[in-house]
Amino acid sequence: NAGVTQTPKFRILKIGQSMTLQCTQDMNHNYMYWYRQDPGMGLKLIYYSVGAGITDKGEVPNGYNVSRSTTEDFPLRLELAAPSQTSVYFCASSYSPGQPYEQYFGPGTRLTVT
Amino acid sequence: AQSVTQLDSHVSVSEGTPVLLRCNYSSSYSPSLFWYVQHPNKGLQLLLKYTSAATLVKGINGFEAEFKKSETSFHLTKPSAHMSDAAEYFCVVSDRRDTGTASKLTFGTGTRLQVTL
């Protein structure tokens, strides 16, 4: 049971490039989330998903896209990278409602856009 | 609407002395409250959670927190700090009215705990 895994661990992008951050969970969680963490700040929600085929915007969705074709995977797409997207990105998952609302986090992807 | 305020951005203690990390919250409904810990270059790990059961919550590694509704606080404590406790700690609130939808967590800005010899 690996929990939540993310790839890559680190990435440097040039302005205008695109990339996909991968996230996979093996806990059969319905709910998955993408956050970004900027220095000295808490985590901000980018997008979330309540199940395969269903996604919704969080607090800071601009510049990102997501898809959820399977329960296990929730990739985050950056189409035109900008310096403001330099951050650490965390993927998380959680059980369905009825359980405590704790989320399980991956180890993060550190992205630098120059 | 919900919010979290962590009253100290940085706390320094000596090894073996008590730890107190302060957190105040605001929530329109009965909240669930969490403390997460983040060690350098690592993901977040759940320390403990409050979800309307006992107001004194015990977590991993000797940490505990007390939910005080009258003070809207959820402070994290540990009787005796260890060097391995040095990390960033986040207080988090979730509006339990979110039953049936994805639970949206609101994070505090974090408290960096330094433990010295």
Side-chain angles (χ1 to χ4, degrees), chain A residues 44-66:
Chain A
K44 302 286 187 186
L45 182 64
I46 305 171
Y47 270 95
Y48 66 96
S49 169
V50 302
I54 306 170
T55 63
D56 206 349
K57 296 178 181 178
E59 190 179 354
V60 289
N62 292 343
Y64 306 95
N65 278 300
V66 293

Side-chain angles (χ1 to χ4, degrees), chain A residues 37 42 90 101-103 110, chain B residues 36 38 46 49 90 99 103:
Chain A
Q37 183 183 30
F90 290 100
Y101 300 101
E102 62 191 279
Q103 296 181 9
R110 187 174 297 274
Chain B
Y36 281 86
Q38 184 181 29
L46 181 68
K49 60 181 182 275
F90 292 96
T99 300
S103 57

Side-chain angles (χ1 to χ4, degrees), chain A residues 52 68 88:
Chain A
R68 183 99 182 269
V88 181

Side-chain angles (χ1 to χ4, degrees), chain A residues 29-35 45-52 54-59 68 74 92-104, chain B residues 2 32 34 92-107:
Chain A
H29 288 172
N30 286 333
Y31 297 84
M32 296 187 74
Y33 313 81
W34 273 106
Y35 294 90
L45 182 64
I46 305 171
Y47 270 95
Y48 66 96
S49 169
V50 302
I54 306 170
T55 63
D56 206 349
K57 296 178 181 178
E59 190 179 354
R68 183 99 182 269
F74 190 41
S93 68
S94 68
Y95 291 115
S96 301
Q99 303 288 338
Y101 300 101
E102 62 191 279
Q103 296 181 9
Y104 297 80
Chain B
Q2 56 193 27
S32 290
F34 309 84
V92 182
V93 63
S94 174
D95 184 346
R96 285 190 286 116
R97 183 178 62 93
D98 281 340
T99 300
T101 65
S103 57
K104 296 187 192 146
L105 304 183
T106 299
F107 286 76

Side-chain angles (χ1 to χ4, degrees), chain B residues 10-72:
Chain B
H10 182 256
V11 170
S12 182
V13 301
S14 299
E15 190 175 35
T17 64
V19 175
L20 170 64
L21 305 183
R22 299 181 295 164
C23 172
N24 286 108
Y25 71 91
S26 171
S27 177
S28 302
Y29 297 85
S30 297
S32 290
L33 291 156
F34 309 84
W35 276 97
Y36 281 86
V37 61
Q38 184 181 29
H39 290 278
N41 300 313
K42 300 287 188 185
L44 281 75
Q45 179 185 17
L46 181 68
L47 270 182
L48 50 80
K49 60 181 182 275
Y50 165 77
T51 56
S52 83
T55 56
L56 182 62
V57 181
K58 293 188 185 299
I60 61 172
N61 300 333
F63 285 94
E64 62 182 39
E66 186 170 9
F67 173 72
K68 291 187 176 180
K69 185 176 180 179
S70 61
E71 299 176 11
T72 60

